[in-house]
Structures are given as C-alpha cells and as structure tokens.
Amino acid sequence: GDPSYSDPDWSPVTEQIVATSRVFLNPGRSVWRIVVLNLDGTSTTLLAAADGTEYSNPHWSPDGTQIVFRSGSGTQMRIFVMSYDGSNLRSLTDMENAAAVWSPDGIRVIFDNIFHKQHYLYFVDPYNGEFSHTPFASISDPPLLCWLP
C-alpha cells in the first residue's frame, strides 16, 4: 500500500525532511521505516527498515550529519543514532525510551526513559555514550521534548 508519513523534522542544512513512514501490507501487518524526503517530491531515500520493528521520532542533528530516532518492538524501544545517509547505526540506550532530541549545540541528546510507568529525563553524549541525569527526576506524563533557543 501507499505509505503514511509522521514525525517530520526539517534538515538544518538541506531542502529535506526526515520522517517516519508506515506502509500497510495487509490487515494487521505494517512496516515502519525512517526515510528522507526531498521537499520538491523528487526522491525518497530509505534509511532504516526491518520487518516487525517500529521506527519513530527521527530528528536531525544541528549540523545535519546525524539522525537520532527511536526503534524496537513492544516495550523494548531504544534510542539510536545514525549518519544522515543511514550508515554508522548505533544504539545510544539499552532501556525503554519514549523520545529523544539533540541539544542545539549537537553535543548531547536528551531522552525520556520509562521506569515503573514514570518518565525520567537523561542526557547522553552521542559520541561516547556517557549518561547524566537532568534535574527533572520524575514526570508523570510523557513529555514532548524540545529545546528552546
């Protein structure tokens, strides 16, 4: 079937959008993907896809060289980062996560960790994997993460 798109994020350096694409194959079965779309509609580039795996919330790094996103199945959703072309895929977390976004300077990612139905915010260095806590210990509702200028 035709794909539906969600979670769009503008590239900071090109005329492109990274988004989640979902293709419905038959009743009860669909494939999730991370794609890059040209704004003029001339091209769609598939970056990540796997049968039975959900992909969501892709976000460009401030310099446009990397994309952070959420992936997994069921309650085993983790945060990953990859290069803008889909290469160099690596996991940033090994715990259940809901969302992640880049800091404006690109040196860390803030993410939402779910533990006992509570949401906790952490920072992770996307280059060395070091974690640090935010001052926000527990949030009862899933946050919509964004940085304010």
PDB file of all heavy atoms in Angstrom, residues 1-9 17-25 30-37 44-51 53-58 69-70 82:
ATOM      1  N   GLY A   1       0.799  -1.180   0.000  1.00  0.00           N
ATOM      2  CA  GLY A   1       0.000   0.000   0.000  1.00  0.00           C
ATOM      3  C   GLY A   1       0.851   1.257   0.000  1.00  0.00           C
ATOM      4  O   GLY A   1       2.072   1.215   0.072  1.00  0.00           O
ATOM      5  N   ASP A   2       0.182   2.370  -0.082  1.00  0.00           N
ATOM      6  CA  ASP A   2       0.864   3.665  -0.042  1.00  0.00           C
ATOM      7  C   ASP A   2       1.316   3.968   1.381  1.00  0.00           C
ATOM      8  O   ASP A   2       0.621   3.672   2.345  1.00  0.00           O
ATOM      9  CB  ASP A   2      -0.066   4.778  -0.525  1.00  0.00           C
ATOM     10  CG  ASP A   2      -0.358   4.682  -2.008  1.00  0.00           C
ATOM     11  OD1 ASP A   2       0.507   4.161  -2.741  1.00  0.00           O
ATOM     12  OD2 ASP A   2      -1.448   5.108  -2.424  1.00  0.00           O
ATOM     13  N   PRO A   3       2.472   4.601   1.507  1.00  0.00           N
ATOM     14  CA  PRO A   3       2.966   4.926   2.856  1.00  0.00           C
ATOM     15  C   PRO A   3       2.230   6.109   3.464  1.00  0.00           C
ATOM     16  O   PRO A   3       1.736   6.979   2.755  1.00  0.00           O
ATOM     17  CB  PRO A   3       4.431   5.268   2.611  1.00  0.00           C
ATOM     18  CG  PRO A   3       4.491   5.728   1.203  1.00  0.00           C
ATOM     19  CD  PRO A   3       3.432   4.951   0.471  1.00  0.00           C
ATOM     20  N   SER A   4       2.157   6.112   4.784  1.00  0.00           N
ATOM     21  CA  SER A   4       1.721   7.300   5.507  1.00  0.00           C
ATOM     22  C   SER A   4       2.954   7.815   6.241  1.00  0.00           C
ATOM     23  O   SER A   4       3.819   7.041   6.645  1.00  0.00           O
ATOM     24  CB  SER A   4       0.602   6.966   6.488  1.00  0.00           C
ATOM     25  OG  SER A   4       1.043   6.067   7.479  1.00  0.00           O
ATOM     26  N   TYR A   5       3.042   9.119   6.391  1.00  0.00           N
ATOM     27  CA  TYR A   5       4.221   9.739   6.992  1.00  0.00           C
ATOM     28  C   TYR A   5       3.847  10.435   8.289  1.00  0.00           C
ATOM     29  O   TYR A   5       2.765  11.006   8.420  1.00  0.00           O
ATOM     30  CB  TYR A   5       4.844  10.757   6.027  1.00  0.00           C
ATOM     31  CG  TYR A   5       5.335  10.137   4.753  1.00  0.00           C
ATOM     32  CD1 TYR A   5       4.577  10.194   3.595  1.00  0.00           C
ATOM     33  CD2 TYR A   5       6.556   9.469   4.713  1.00  0.00           C
ATOM     34  CE1 TYR A   5       5.017   9.604   2.415  1.00  0.00           C
ATOM     35  CE2 TYR A   5       7.003   8.879   3.543  1.00  0.00           C
ATOM     36  CZ  TYR A   5       6.232   8.948   2.399  1.00  0.00           C
ATOM     37  OH  TYR A   5       6.678   8.358   1.250  1.00  0.00           O
ATOM     38  N   SER A   6       4.774  10.400   9.257  1.00  0.00           N
ATOM     39  CA  SER A   6       4.572  11.095  10.526  1.00  0.00           C
ATOM     40  C   SER A   6       5.933  11.510  11.074  1.00  0.00           C
ATOM     41  O   SER A   6       6.968  11.139  10.532  1.00  0.00           O
ATOM     42  CB  SER A   6       3.839  10.189  11.526  1.00  0.00           C
ATOM     43  OG  SER A   6       4.578   9.018  11.779  1.00  0.00           O
ATOM     44  N   ASP A   7       5.923  12.244  12.159  1.00  0.00           N
ATOM     45  CA  ASP A   7       7.144  12.686  12.845  1.00  0.00           C
ATOM     46  C   ASP A   7       8.121  13.439  11.947  1.00  0.00           C
ATOM     47  O   ASP A   7       9.329  13.208  12.015  1.00  0.00           O
ATOM     48  CB  ASP A   7       7.888  11.488  13.465  1.00  0.00           C
ATOM     49  CG  ASP A   7       7.035  10.627  14.364  1.00  0.00           C
ATOM     50  OD1 ASP A   7       6.192  11.199  15.070  1.00  0.00           O
ATOM     51  OD2 ASP A   7       7.223   9.403  14.363  1.00  0.00           O
ATOM     52  N   PRO A   8       7.676  14.363  11.095  1.00  0.00           N
ATOM     53  CA  PRO A   8       8.621  15.044  10.195  1.00  0.00           C
ATOM     54  C   PRO A   8       9.555  15.986  10.941  1.00  0.00           C
ATOM     55  O   PRO A   8       9.184  16.579  11.951  1.00  0.00           O
ATOM     56  CB  PRO A   8       7.703  15.827   9.258  1.00  0.00           C
ATOM     57  CG  PRO A   8       6.487  16.108  10.092  1.00  0.00           C
ATOM     58  CD  PRO A   8       6.317  14.884  10.960  1.00  0.00           C
ATOM     59  N   ASP A   9      10.788  16.104  10.441  1.00  0.00           N
ATOM     60  CA  ASP A   9      11.761  17.033  11.011  1.00  0.00           C
ATOM     61  C   ASP A   9      12.583  17.626   9.868  1.00  0.00           C
ATOM     62  O   ASP A   9      13.160  16.889   9.070  1.00  0.00           O
ATOM     63  CB  ASP A   9      12.674  16.304  12.009  1.00  0.00           C
ATOM     64  CG  ASP A   9      13.543  17.258  12.803  1.00  0.00           C
ATOM     65  OD1 ASP A   9      13.010  18.260  13.327  1.00  0.00           O
ATOM     66  OD2 ASP A   9      14.756  17.002  12.906  1.00  0.00           O
ATOM     67  N   ILE A  17      13.437  16.553   4.500  1.00  0.00           N
ATOM     68  CA  ILE A  17      12.747  16.227   5.745  1.00  0.00           C
ATOM     69  C   ILE A  17      13.043  14.768   6.060  1.00  0.00           C
ATOM     70  O   ILE A  17      12.995  13.916   5.165  1.00  0.00           O
ATOM     71  CB  ILE A  17      11.222  16.427   5.603  1.00  0.00           C
ATOM     72  CG1 ILE A  17      10.896  17.892   5.364  1.00  0.00           C
ATOM     73  CG2 ILE A  17      10.487  15.891   6.826  1.00  0.00           C
ATOM     74  CD1 ILE A  17       9.440  18.137   5.039  1.00  0.00           C
ATOM     75  N   VAL A  18      13.352  14.467   7.314  1.00  0.00           N
ATOM     76  CA  VAL A  18      13.409  13.082   7.753  1.00  0.00           C
ATOM     77  C   VAL A  18      12.064  12.794   8.419  1.00  0.00           C
ATOM     78  O   VAL A  18      11.493  13.664   9.081  1.00  0.00           O
ATOM     79  CB  VAL A  18      14.596  12.807   8.711  1.00  0.00           C
ATOM     80  CG1 VAL A  18      14.456  13.553  10.028  1.00  0.00           C
ATOM     81  CG2 VAL A  18      14.763  11.316   8.954  1.00  0.00           C
ATOM     82  N   ALA A  19      11.527  11.597   8.196  1.00  0.00           N
ATOM     83  CA  ALA A  19      10.210  11.263   8.723  1.00  0.00           C
ATOM     84  C   ALA A  19      10.094   9.764   8.946  1.00  0.00           C
ATOM     85  O   ALA A  19      10.898   8.973   8.449  1.00  0.00           O
ATOM     86  CB  ALA A  19       9.116  11.728   7.757  1.00  0.00           C
ATOM     87  N   THR A  20       9.071   9.396   9.689  1.00  0.00           N
ATOM     88  CA  THR A  20       8.690   8.002   9.837  1.00  0.00           C
ATOM     89  C   THR A  20       7.701   7.683   8.732  1.00  0.00           C
ATOM     90  O   THR A  20       6.789   8.459   8.458  1.00  0.00           O
ATOM     91  CB  THR A  20       8.022   7.765  11.207  1.00  0.00           C
ATOM     92  OG1 THR A  20       8.922   8.152  12.228  1.00  0.00           O
ATOM     93  CG2 THR A  20       7.645   6.316  11.385  1.00  0.00           C
ATOM     94  N   SER A  21       7.889   6.550   8.099  1.00  0.00           N
ATOM     95  CA  SER A  21       6.982   6.087   7.056  1.00  0.00           C
ATOM     96  C   SER A  21       6.405   4.747   7.492  1.00  0.00           C
ATOM     97  O   SER A  21       7.134   3.873   7.969  1.00  0.00           O
ATOM     98  CB  SER A  21       7.744   5.919   5.740  1.00  0.00           C
ATOM     99  OG  SER A  21       6.977   5.207   4.805  1.00  0.00           O
ATOM    100  N   ARG A  22       5.112   4.599   7.335  1.00  0.00           N
ATOM    101  CA  ARG A  22       4.459   3.322   7.670  1.00  0.00           C
ATOM    102  C   ARG A  22       3.711   2.842   6.440  1.00  0.00           C
ATOM    103  O   ARG A  22       2.888   3.561   5.890  1.00  0.00           O
ATOM    104  CB  ARG A  22       3.513   3.505   8.843  1.00  0.00           C
ATOM    105  CG  ARG A  22       2.894   2.216   9.326  1.00  0.00           C
ATOM    106  CD  ARG A  22       2.032   2.458  10.546  1.00  0.00           C
ATOM    107  NE  ARG A  22       1.546   1.206  11.078  1.00  0.00           N
ATOM    108  CZ  ARG A  22       0.679   1.128  12.071  1.00  0.00           C
ATOM    109  NH1 ARG A  22       0.226   2.235  12.639  1.00  0.00           N
ATOM    110  NH2 ARG A  22       0.273  -0.034  12.496  1.00  0.00           N
ATOM    111  N   VAL A  23       4.022   1.612   6.031  1.00  0.00           N
ATOM    112  CA  VAL A  23       3.360   1.013   4.881  1.00  0.00           C
ATOM    113  C   VAL A  23       2.508  -0.147   5.395  1.00  0.00           C
ATOM    114  O   VAL A  23       3.019  -1.063   6.049  1.00  0.00           O
ATOM    115  CB  VAL A  23       4.380   0.500   3.842  1.00  0.00           C
ATOM    116  CG1 VAL A  23       3.661  -0.163   2.673  1.00  0.00           C
ATOM    117  CG2 VAL A  23       5.260   1.637   3.356  1.00  0.00           C
ATOM    118  N   PHE A  24       1.213  -0.107   5.075  1.00  0.00           N
ATOM    119  CA  PHE A  24       0.301  -1.178   5.471  1.00  0.00           C
ATOM    120  C   PHE A  24       0.325  -2.249   4.386  1.00  0.00           C
ATOM    121  O   PHE A  24      -0.017  -1.988   3.238  1.00  0.00           O
ATOM    122  CB  PHE A  24      -1.105  -0.624   5.670  1.00  0.00           C
ATOM    123  CG  PHE A  24      -1.188   0.335   6.816  1.00  0.00           C
ATOM    124  CD1 PHE A  24      -1.024   1.699   6.616  1.00  0.00           C
ATOM    125  CD2 PHE A  24      -1.408  -0.124   8.107  1.00  0.00           C
ATOM    126  CE1 PHE A  24      -1.080   2.590   7.677  1.00  0.00           C
ATOM    127  CE2 PHE A  24      -1.464   0.754   9.169  1.00  0.00           C
ATOM    128  CZ  PHE A  24      -1.306   2.110   8.961  1.00  0.00           C
ATOM    129  N   LEU A  25       0.747  -3.470   4.754  1.00  0.00           N
ATOM    130  CA  LEU A  25       0.896  -4.552   3.790  1.00  0.00           C
ATOM    131  C   LEU A  25      -0.370  -5.387   3.671  1.00  0.00           C
ATOM    132  O   LEU A  25      -0.769  -5.766   2.582  1.00  0.00           O
ATOM    133  CB  LEU A  25       2.083  -5.439   4.173  1.00  0.00           C
ATOM    134  CG  LEU A  25       3.409  -4.697   4.296  1.00  0.00           C
ATOM    135  CD1 LEU A  25       4.485  -5.637   4.787  1.00  0.00           C
ATOM    136  CD2 LEU A  25       3.800  -4.083   2.958  1.00  0.00           C
ATOM    137  N   SER A  30       2.143  -4.162   9.139  1.00  0.00           N
ATOM    138  CA  SER A  30       2.690  -2.962   8.512  1.00  0.00           C
ATOM    139  C   SER A  30       4.193  -2.935   8.727  1.00  0.00           C
ATOM    140  O   SER A  30       4.722  -3.620   9.597  1.00  0.00           O
ATOM    141  CB  SER A  30       2.040  -1.694   9.071  1.00  0.00           C
ATOM    142  OG  SER A  30       2.254  -1.606  10.455  1.00  0.00           O
ATOM    143  N   VAL A  31       4.880  -2.136   7.925  1.00  0.00           N
ATOM    144  CA  VAL A  31       6.319  -1.964   8.033  1.00  0.00           C
ATOM    145  C   VAL A  31       6.601  -0.500   8.322  1.00  0.00           C
ATOM    146  O   VAL A  31       6.082   0.382   7.638  1.00  0.00           O
ATOM    147  CB  VAL A  31       7.040  -2.403   6.733  1.00  0.00           C
ATOM    148  CG1 VAL A  31       8.516  -2.110   6.823  1.00  0.00           C
ATOM    149  CG2 VAL A  31       6.806  -3.873   6.457  1.00  0.00           C
ATOM    150  N   TRP A  32       7.405  -0.254   9.364  1.00  0.00           N
ATOM    151  CA  TRP A  32       7.827   1.095   9.734  1.00  0.00           C
ATOM    152  C   TRP A  32       9.203   1.353   9.153  1.00  0.00           C
ATOM    153  O   TRP A  32      10.043   0.464   9.124  1.00  0.00           O
ATOM    154  CB  TRP A  32       7.899   1.230  11.248  1.00  0.00           C
ATOM    155  CG  TRP A  32       6.589   1.099  11.940  1.00  0.00           C
ATOM    156  CD1 TRP A  32       5.971  -0.062  12.300  1.00  0.00           C
ATOM    157  CD2 TRP A  32       5.738   2.151  12.356  1.00  0.00           C
ATOM    158  NE1 TRP A  32       4.782   0.209  12.927  1.00  0.00           N
ATOM    159  CE2 TRP A  32       4.617   1.554  12.982  1.00  0.00           C
ATOM    160  CE3 TRP A  32       5.815   3.539  12.281  1.00  0.00           C
ATOM    161  CZ2 TRP A  32       3.589   2.303  13.523  1.00  0.00           C
ATOM    162  CZ3 TRP A  32       4.790   4.290  12.817  1.00  0.00           C
ATOM    163  CH2 TRP A  32       3.690   3.672  13.427  1.00  0.00           C
ATOM    164  N   ARG A  33       9.446   2.598   8.731  1.00  0.00           N
ATOM    165  CA  ARG A  33      10.733   2.948   8.145  1.00  0.00           C
ATOM    166  C   ARG A  33      11.110   4.373   8.536  1.00  0.00           C
ATOM    167  O   ARG A  33      10.252   5.162   8.896  1.00  0.00           O
ATOM    168  CB  ARG A  33      10.660   2.871   6.616  1.00  0.00           C
ATOM    169  CG  ARG A  33      10.129   1.563   6.102  1.00  0.00           C
ATOM    170  CD  ARG A  33      10.031   1.515   4.617  1.00  0.00           C
ATOM    171  NE  ARG A  33       9.081   2.491   4.105  1.00  0.00           N
ATOM    172  CZ  ARG A  33       8.770   2.626   2.827  1.00  0.00           C
ATOM    173  NH1 ARG A  33       9.320   1.855   1.923  1.00  0.00           N
ATOM    174  NH2 ARG A  33       7.915   3.537   2.429  1.00  0.00           N
ATOM    175  N   ILE A  34      12.404   4.679   8.428  1.00  0.00           N
ATOM    176  CA  ILE A  34      12.885   6.061   8.515  1.00  0.00           C
ATOM    177  C   ILE A  34      13.282   6.440   7.094  1.00  0.00           C
ATOM    178  O   ILE A  34      14.063   5.730   6.448  1.00  0.00           O
ATOM    179  CB  ILE A  34      14.100   6.208   9.456  1.00  0.00           C
ATOM    180  CG1 ILE A  34      13.745   5.798  10.887  1.00  0.00           C
ATOM    181  CG2 ILE A  34      14.649   7.631   9.409  1.00  0.00           C
ATOM    182  CD1 ILE A  34      12.872   6.763  11.641  1.00  0.00           C
ATOM    183  N   VAL A  35      12.736   7.552   6.611  1.00  0.00           N
ATOM    184  CA  VAL A  35      13.015   7.991   5.244  1.00  0.00           C
ATOM    185  C   VAL A  35      13.407   9.462   5.230  1.00  0.00           C
ATOM    186  O   VAL A  35      13.054  10.220   6.124  1.00  0.00           O
ATOM    187  CB  VAL A  35      11.808   7.770   4.310  1.00  0.00           C
ATOM    188  CG1 VAL A  35      11.483   6.291   4.172  1.00  0.00           C
ATOM    189  CG2 VAL A  35      10.584   8.535   4.798  1.00  0.00           C
ATOM    190  N   VAL A  36      14.143   9.841   4.194  1.00  0.00           N
ATOM    191  CA  VAL A  36      14.443  11.245   3.936  1.00  0.00           C
ATOM    192  C   VAL A  36      13.704  11.618   2.658  1.00  0.00           C
ATOM    193  O   VAL A  36      13.805  10.929   1.633  1.00  0.00           O
ATOM    194  CB  VAL A  36      15.959  11.493   3.792  1.00  0.00           C
ATOM    195  CG1 VAL A  36      16.229  12.923   3.335  1.00  0.00           C
ATOM    196  CG2 VAL A  36      16.660  11.227   5.114  1.00  0.00           C
ATOM    197  N   LEU A  37      12.950  12.699   2.721  1.00  0.00           N
ATOM    198  CA  LEU A  37      12.137  13.172   1.596  1.00  0.00           C
ATOM    199  C   LEU A  37      12.686  14.495   1.089  1.00  0.00           C
ATOM    200  O   LEU A  37      12.937  15.400   1.891  1.00  0.00           O
ATOM    201  CB  LEU A  37      10.686  13.380   2.045  1.00  0.00           C
ATOM    202  CG  LEU A  37      10.019  12.216   2.763  1.00  0.00           C
ATOM    203  CD1 LEU A  37       8.771  12.684   3.486  1.00  0.00           C
ATOM    204  CD2 LEU A  37       9.691  11.121   1.780  1.00  0.00           C
ATOM    205  N   THR A  44      12.691   9.870  -2.441  1.00  0.00           N
ATOM    206  CA  THR A  44      12.557   9.372  -1.086  1.00  0.00           C
ATOM    207  C   THR A  44      13.704   8.398  -0.861  1.00  0.00           C
ATOM    208  O   THR A  44      13.878   7.466  -1.638  1.00  0.00           O
ATOM    209  CB  THR A  44      11.212   8.635  -0.892  1.00  0.00           C
ATOM    210  OG1 THR A  44      10.149   9.526  -1.174  1.00  0.00           O
ATOM    211  CG2 THR A  44      11.077   8.107   0.524  1.00  0.00           C
ATOM    212  N   THR A  45      14.488   8.613   0.168  1.00  0.00           N
ATOM    213  CA  THR A  45      15.621   7.746   0.475  1.00  0.00           C
ATOM    214  C   THR A  45      15.317   6.948   1.733  1.00  0.00           C
ATOM    215  O   THR A  45      15.055   7.532   2.792  1.00  0.00           O
ATOM    216  CB  THR A  45      16.904   8.574   0.685  1.00  0.00           C
ATOM    217  OG1 THR A  45      17.131   9.361  -0.483  1.00  0.00           O
ATOM    218  CG2 THR A  45      18.097   7.670   0.937  1.00  0.00           C
ATOM    219  N   LEU A  46      15.342   5.634   1.619  1.00  0.00           N
ATOM    220  CA  LEU A  46      15.114   4.755   2.753  1.00  0.00           C
ATOM    221  C   LEU A  46      16.392   4.668   3.580  1.00  0.00           C
ATOM    222  O   LEU A  46      17.455   4.333   3.057  1.00  0.00           O
ATOM    223  CB  LEU A  46      14.716   3.360   2.262  1.00  0.00           C
ATOM    224  CG  LEU A  46      14.530   2.292   3.324  1.00  0.00           C
ATOM    225  CD1 LEU A  46      13.377   2.634   4.241  1.00  0.00           C
ATOM    226  CD2 LEU A  46      14.319   0.942   2.654  1.00  0.00           C
ATOM    227  N   LEU A  47      16.295   4.993   4.872  1.00  0.00           N
ATOM    228  CA  LEU A  47      17.467   4.936   5.755  1.00  0.00           C
ATOM    229  C   LEU A  47      17.457   3.714   6.658  1.00  0.00           C
ATOM    230  O   LEU A  47      18.509   3.151   6.942  1.00  0.00           O
ATOM    231  CB  LEU A  47      17.551   6.187   6.623  1.00  0.00           C
ATOM    232  CG  LEU A  47      17.728   7.511   5.907  1.00  0.00           C
ATOM    233  CD1 LEU A  47      17.877   8.629   6.924  1.00  0.00           C
ATOM    234  CD2 LEU A  47      18.907   7.483   4.965  1.00  0.00           C
ATOM    235  N   ALA A  48      16.291   3.314   7.149  1.00  0.00           N
ATOM    236  CA  ALA A  48      16.212   2.185   8.076  1.00  0.00           C
ATOM    237  C   ALA A  48      14.854   1.519   7.949  1.00  0.00           C
ATOM    238  O   ALA A  48      13.833   2.199   7.872  1.00  0.00           O
ATOM    239  CB  ALA A  48      16.428   2.660   9.509  1.00  0.00           C
ATOM    240  N   ALA A  49      14.845   0.191   7.927  1.00  0.00           N
ATOM    241  CA  ALA A  49      13.602  -0.572   7.883  1.00  0.00           C
ATOM    242  C   ALA A  49      13.888  -2.003   8.293  1.00  0.00           C
ATOM    243  O   ALA A  49      14.946  -2.543   7.975  1.00  0.00           O
ATOM    244  CB  ALA A  49      12.993  -0.551   6.488  1.00  0.00           C
ATOM    245  N   ALA A  50      12.968  -2.609   9.004  1.00  0.00           N
ATOM    246  CA  ALA A  50      13.068  -4.019   9.365  1.00  0.00           C
ATOM    247  C   ALA A  50      11.669  -4.531   9.681  1.00  0.00           C
ATOM    248  O   ALA A  50      10.897  -3.847  10.356  1.00  0.00           O
ATOM    249  CB  ALA A  50      13.993  -4.221  10.558  1.00  0.00           C
ATOM    250  N   ASP A  51      11.336  -5.678   9.188  1.00  0.00           N
ATOM    251  CA  ASP A  51      10.033  -6.276   9.441  1.00  0.00           C
ATOM    252  C   ASP A  51       9.874  -6.541  10.941  1.00  0.00           C
ATOM    253  O   ASP A  51      10.790  -7.063  11.586  1.00  0.00           O
ATOM    254  CB  ASP A  51       9.903  -7.581   8.656  1.00  0.00           C
ATOM    255  CG  ASP A  51       8.459  -7.997   8.471  1.00  0.00           C
ATOM    256  OD1 ASP A  51       7.561  -7.174   8.713  1.00  0.00           O
ATOM    257  OD2 ASP A  51       8.239  -9.155   8.081  1.00  0.00           O
ATOM    258  N   THR A  53       9.788  -4.319  13.299  1.00  0.00           N
ATOM    259  CA  THR A  53      10.429  -3.286  14.098  1.00  0.00           C
ATOM    260  C   THR A  53       9.749  -1.948  13.833  1.00  0.00           C
ATOM    261  O   THR A  53       9.499  -1.601  12.694  1.00  0.00           O
ATOM    262  CB  THR A  53      11.926  -3.184  13.745  1.00  0.00           C
ATOM    263  OG1 THR A  53      12.538  -4.445  13.993  1.00  0.00           O
ATOM    264  CG2 THR A  53      12.612  -2.113  14.568  1.00  0.00           C
ATOM    265  N   GLU A  54       9.472  -1.223  14.890  1.00  0.00           N
ATOM    266  CA  GLU A  54       8.864   0.103  14.758  1.00  0.00           C
ATOM    267  C   GLU A  54       9.954   1.159  14.799  1.00  0.00           C
ATOM    268  O   GLU A  54      10.912   1.053  15.563  1.00  0.00           O
ATOM    269  CB  GLU A  54       7.880   0.339  15.899  1.00  0.00           C
ATOM    270  CG  GLU A  54       7.215   1.697  15.842  1.00  0.00           C
ATOM    271  CD  GLU A  54       6.281   1.939  17.009  1.00  0.00           C
ATOM    272  OE1 GLU A  54       5.803   0.976  17.620  1.00  0.00           O
ATOM    273  OE2 GLU A  54       6.043   3.117  17.308  1.00  0.00           O
ATOM    274  N   TYR A  55       9.822   2.180  13.987  1.00  0.00           N
ATOM    275  CA  TYR A  55      10.720   3.331  13.970  1.00  0.00           C
ATOM    276  C   TYR A  55       9.889   4.578  14.206  1.00  0.00           C
ATOM    277  O   TYR A  55       8.800   4.701  13.659  1.00  0.00           O
ATOM    278  CB  TYR A  55      11.435   3.454  12.621  1.00  0.00           C
ATOM    279  CG  TYR A  55      12.370   2.320  12.321  1.00  0.00           C
ATOM    280  CD1 TYR A  55      11.915   1.165  11.704  1.00  0.00           C
ATOM    281  CD2 TYR A  55      13.709   2.389  12.673  1.00  0.00           C
ATOM    282  CE1 TYR A  55      12.770   0.114  11.437  1.00  0.00           C
ATOM    283  CE2 TYR A  55      14.574   1.350  12.405  1.00  0.00           C
ATOM    284  CZ  TYR A  55      14.090   0.214  11.784  1.00  0.00           C
ATOM    285  OH  TYR A  55      14.943  -0.818  11.530  1.00  0.00           O
ATOM    286  N   SER A  56      10.396   5.522  15.000  1.00  0.00           N
ATOM    287  CA  SER A  56       9.638   6.755  15.236  1.00  0.00           C
ATOM    288  C   SER A  56      10.548   7.875  15.712  1.00  0.00           C
ATOM    289  O   SER A  56      11.695   7.655  16.084  1.00  0.00           O
ATOM    290  CB  SER A  56       8.525   6.519  16.263  1.00  0.00           C
ATOM    291  OG  SER A  56       9.056   6.147  17.504  1.00  0.00           O
ATOM    292  N   ASN A  57       9.995   9.079  15.686  1.00  0.00           N
ATOM    293  CA  ASN A  57      10.620  10.289  16.215  1.00  0.00           C
ATOM    294  C   ASN A  57      12.030  10.577  15.711  1.00  0.00           C
ATOM    295  O   ASN A  57      12.935  10.845  16.501  1.00  0.00           O
ATOM    296  CB  ASN A  57      10.621  10.256  17.746  1.00  0.00           C
ATOM    297  CG  ASN A  57       9.244  10.077  18.318  1.00  0.00           C
ATOM    298  OD1 ASN A  57       8.873   8.977  18.702  1.00  0.00           O
ATOM    299  ND2 ASN A  57       8.461  11.142  18.344  1.00  0.00           N
ATOM    300  N   PRO A  58      12.258  10.569  14.390  1.00  0.00           N
ATOM    301  CA  PRO A  58      13.590  10.922  13.899  1.00  0.00           C
ATOM    302  C   PRO A  58      13.833  12.428  14.010  1.00  0.00           C
ATOM    303  O   PRO A  58      12.923  13.228  13.786  1.00  0.00           O
ATOM    304  CB  PRO A  58      13.560  10.480  12.441  1.00  0.00           C
ATOM    305  CG  PRO A  58      12.117  10.618  12.051  1.00  0.00           C
ATOM    306  CD  PRO A  58      11.339  10.268  13.295  1.00  0.00           C
ATOM    307  N   PHE A  69      16.806   8.625  16.613  1.00  0.00           N
ATOM    308  CA  PHE A  69      15.445   8.120  16.478  1.00  0.00           C
ATOM    309  C   PHE A  69      15.197   7.015  17.494  1.00  0.00           C
ATOM    310  O   PHE A  69      16.111   6.519  18.144  1.00  0.00           O
ATOM    311  CB  PHE A  69      15.176   7.625  15.058  1.00  0.00           C
ATOM    312  CG  PHE A  69      16.045   6.466  14.638  1.00  0.00           C
ATOM    313  CD1 PHE A  69      15.585   5.165  14.721  1.00  0.00           C
ATOM    314  CD2 PHE A  69      17.320   6.684  14.150  1.00  0.00           C
ATOM    315  CE1 PHE A  69      16.388   4.102  14.341  1.00  0.00           C
ATOM    316  CE2 PHE A  69      18.126   5.625  13.749  1.00  0.00           C
ATOM    317  CZ  PHE A  69      17.661   4.328  13.858  1.00  0.00           C
ATOM    318  N   ARG A  70      13.950   6.617  17.580  1.00  0.00           N
ATOM    319  CA  ARG A  70      13.505   5.571  18.495  1.00  0.00           C
ATOM    320  C   ARG A  70      13.169   4.338  17.663  1.00  0.00           C
ATOM    321  O   ARG A  70      12.539   4.449  16.609  1.00  0.00           O
ATOM    322  CB  ARG A  70      12.279   6.080  19.235  1.00  0.00           C
ATOM    323  CG  ARG A  70      11.685   5.158  20.234  1.00  0.00           C
ATOM    324  CD  ARG A  70      10.516   5.890  20.914  1.00  0.00           C
ATOM    325  NE  ARG A  70       9.876   5.011  21.862  1.00  0.00           N
ATOM    326  CZ  ARG A  70       8.609   4.631  21.793  1.00  0.00           C
ATOM    327  NH1 ARG A  70       7.839   5.048  20.814  1.00  0.00           N
ATOM    328  NH2 ARG A  70       8.104   3.839  22.707  1.00  0.00           N
ATOM    329  N   MET A  82      22.241   7.478  13.744  1.00  0.00           N
ATOM    330  CA  MET A  82      22.900   7.040  12.515  1.00  0.00           C
ATOM    331  C   MET A  82      23.323   8.264  11.727  1.00  0.00           C
ATOM    332  O   MET A  82      22.848   9.374  11.971  1.00  0.00           O
ATOM    333  CB  MET A  82      21.964   6.173  11.671  1.00  0.00           C
ATOM    334  CG  MET A  82      20.746   6.884  11.130  1.00  0.00           C
ATOM    335  SD  MET A  82      19.711   5.752  10.200  1.00  0.00           S
ATOM    336  CE  MET A  82      18.149   6.618  10.239  1.00  0.00           C
TER     337      MET A  82
END
